[in-house]
Amino acid sequence: MPPESGAQAHFRALESLYAAAPINQIFPSRLEIPEEGVARITFDVGEPFHHAAGAVHGTSYFKMLDDAAFYAANSKVTDRFLLTTGFNLLFTRPMVTGPVVAEGRWVSGQRRVFVAEARLIGPDGEEAARGTGTFMRSRIPLSSLKGYSAPER
C-alpha cells in the first residue's frame, strides 16, 4: 500500500501526536480522524477516574471533550498547533464505568480562531456531556512537535 499523502497523512500525524502526549499515559485513549473537521476519541473509564461519590470526575469529561473538539479543529490546520482559548461544558448525566466516545466536530473558523464542539457518549449509548471550544492558531509549528509524524507501516 503506498504511503498516505495530503490530508490523510496530516490526520495520521495528528493521531500519532495525540498518542505521544504524556497525559495519555494517565488517560488511556485512542484518537481517530476519519475526515477533515471530525475527530473521535475512545476512552475506557472506571474507578481510577471517579470522584468520592463513585462517578467519573468532571476533569475526565473536560479532557475528553476538549481533546475531541481540539483535534477536529486542528485537522483543518496543517502547519500550526492550535491552543484552547476557551471551553464551555455542559454535564447531562453521570458516567460510572465502561467505554466512552468523544465525538468532535469543527463548527467555524478558517484562519486564526476556530470553533469546534464535542459530545460525550457514555457506556449506555446516551449523551453524558457536550462542550464548545475556541481554539487559536499558535506560533508552534506542528512539524517541530515530537510525535507529529505518520506512523510506520
Side-chain angles (χ1 to χ4, degrees):
M1 178 178 271
E4 293 180 299
S5 62
Q8 292 300 314
H10 173 58
F11 302 160
R12 301 300 81 82
L14 286 173
E15 291 165 356
S16 178
L17 180 65
Y18 179 83
I23 188 69
N24 291 322
Q25 298 299 310
I26 298 167
F27 291 92
S29 51
R30 182 176 176 277
L31 168 66
E32 174 192 7
I33 302 173
E35 62 186 89
E36 185 178 82
V38 176
R40 189 171 300 112
I41 305 177
T42 54
F43 296 83
D44 194 27
V45 297
E47 197 171 313
F49 301 97
H50 288 181
H51 53 57
V56 175
H57 191 277
T59 57
S60 298
Y61 283 72
F62 173 78
K63 160 86 167 99
M64 293 183 275
L65 291 167
D66 177 55
D67 283 355
F70 168 88
Y71 279 95
N74 220 146
S75 73
K76 298 186 69 69
V77 179
T78 59
D79 62 337
R80 300 288 173 184
F81 186 74
L82 297 181
L83 300 172
T84 303
T85 58
F87 202 89
N88 293 309
L89 180 117
L90 174 66
F91 297 95
T92 53
R93 65 186 312 133
M95 296 184 298
V96 179
T97 187
V100 177
V101 177
E103 300 173 339
R105 290 201 175 278
W106 167 82
V107 174
S108 67
Q110 296 286 337
R111 299 190 134 184
R112 185 160 165 78
V113 177
F114 297 79
V115 176
E117 61 188 13
R119 63 189 208 125
L120 204 54
I121 307 302
D124 60 359
E126 296 292 325
E127 183 178 288
R130 65 176 45 233
T132 304
T134 54
F135 307 91
M136 184 176 76
R137 186 184 296 266
S138 76
R139 295 182 182 180
I140 303 166
L142 281 168
S143 61
S144 74
L145 298 174
K146 182 180 176 185
Y148 182 81
S149 60
E152 295 294 319
R153 297 265 182 233

